[in-house]
Amino acid sequence: MATHVLRPGTRRRIAFDDHLPVDHRLNTFYRIGAGLMGLFLLAFGILGLTNKVGFFTTHGDTVIGLNTNGSLSVLSICVGLLLFVGMVIGGNFASTLNMVFGVLFILNGFLNLALLDGRYNFLAFHIQNVLFSFVVGVLLMFFGMYGRVGSALPHDNPYYKARHPEEAERAERIRALRESASATALQQSHRAAPTPKAVGGTETKAAETTEASETTKTAESKASENKASETKASETKAAEPPRTTDP
């Protein structure tokens, strides 16, 4: 019989750091999704209220190609404002809010599909409203689940870090070691390579040495030529007969 108790691993709280590239990209994506959907729903609700349609009428009126009444307009305005709140807060809250409303919109589409042309159709749904509810639900779920649900999340993903803290720390250490090793190799290559100044100085010194040797050779050749000419002149002078003067 085992004497130890298996304890589930504690999950870390998901926190977004905007200075990290992955966190910043996900946070921006969640904010944009919530803002776009909230803006459309808010505009749809306000336009529906301006037509002064009955609050619970089942016939309603057409706005932006969709049927609406007073209750659906107010509900759209409330959902749009909540999505705007998610856009302002961002992060994990915006992602969760998008997913929750995405599921609710899909369920709402199925529910009102069953209530079409009935006396309990208090939101005045028509078939275009049902399709719109499905589309908005899928879009909101996409905006909420992106970078959060998947089998191949990168190790620097905030959700992966929260679910697998030990593996994320191990991957972070390996990445840091690789970066330090590459930086060290780069520094060593820079130290081993000669600088342009040193190369220029070596070339100048070699040129000066060559020029000096050539100058020395020229001086020696000139000296030897002068010596040879002097020797020849002395030999010629010695070979001439002595001159005699007449009395």
Side-chain angles (χ1 to χ4, degrees):
M1 181 177 178
T3 57
H4 63 278
V5 180
L6 296 177
R7 297 181 180 180
T10 58
R11 291 187 177 182
R12 292 185 177 182
R13 182 177 178 273
I14 299 174
F16 279 77
D17 296 325
D18 283 339
H19 68 279
L20 299 177
V22 176
D23 294 15
H24 177 72
R25 183 170 65 250
L26 291 177
N27 195 12
T28 304
F29 189 81
Y30 300 149
R31 289 174 184 268
I32 291 175
L36 289 177
M37 295 295 104
L39 179 63
F40 185 84
L41 292 174
L42 193 62
F44 174 73
I46 292 175
L47 291 176
L49 287 180
T50 55
N51 288 337
K52 297 180 180 180
V53 189
F55 201 77
F56 288 109
T57 178
T58 57
H59 300 289
D61 195 5
T62 302
V63 175
I64 320 178
L66 301 173
N67 205 55
T68 186
N69 60 7
S71 58
L72 182 59
S73 298
V74 173
L75 184 61
S76 300
I77 292 174
C78 294
V79 175
L81 291 176
L82 287 175
L83 288 174
F84 268 116
V85 172
M87 180 190 68
V88 173
I89 297 176
N92 187 52
F93 178 81
S95 172
T96 304
L97 189 68
N98 289 338
M99 286 195 298
V100 169
F101 276 122
V103 173
L104 291 178
F105 266 90
I106 292 176
L107 294 177
N108 181 61
F110 281 113
L111 176 62
N112 285 279
L113 181 62
L115 298 177
L116 286 179
D117 300 328
R119 59 179 181 175
Y120 297 108
N121 188 16
F122 296 115
L123 295 179
F125 260 56
H126 287 183
I127 188 63
Q128 61 266 28
N129 296 75
V130 174
L131 297 177
F132 173 76
S133 184
F134 287 151
V135 171
V136 172
V138 170
L139 287 176
L140 283 174
M141 289 186 66
F142 172 72
F143 281 123
M145 297 172 67
Y146 178 80
R148 182 171 184 173
V149 179
S151 59
L153 295 178
H155 291 168
D156 55 351
N157 184 282
Y159 296 101
Y160 185 89
K161 290 179 180 179
R163 296 167 190 163
H164 310 282
E166 295 180 357
E167 295 181 6
E169 290 179 359
R170 189 182 303 112
E172 185 68 22
R173 288 196 298 268
I174 293 174
R175 185 183 63 83
L177 289 175
R178 288 178 179 175
E179 290 180 354
S180 62
S182 61
T184 304
L186 186 62
Q187 290 178 358
Q188 291 178 354
S189 64
H190 281 309
R191 290 176 181 176
T195 59
K197 185 176 180 180
V199 173
T202 305
E203 292 178 352
T204 305
K205 188 175 181 180
E208 291 176 354
T209 305
T210 305
E211 185 177 357
S213 62
E214 290 178 354
T215 305
T216 305
K217 290 180 180 180
T218 305
E220 290 177 354
S221 62
K222 287 183 178 180
S224 60
E225 289 177 357
N226 293 334
K227 187 175 182 181
S229 60
E230 290 177 359
T231 305
K232 188 176 181 181
S234 61
E235 289 177 355
T236 304
K237 187 176 181 181
E240 290 180 356
R243 295 179 180 178
T244 59
T245 56
D246 294 333

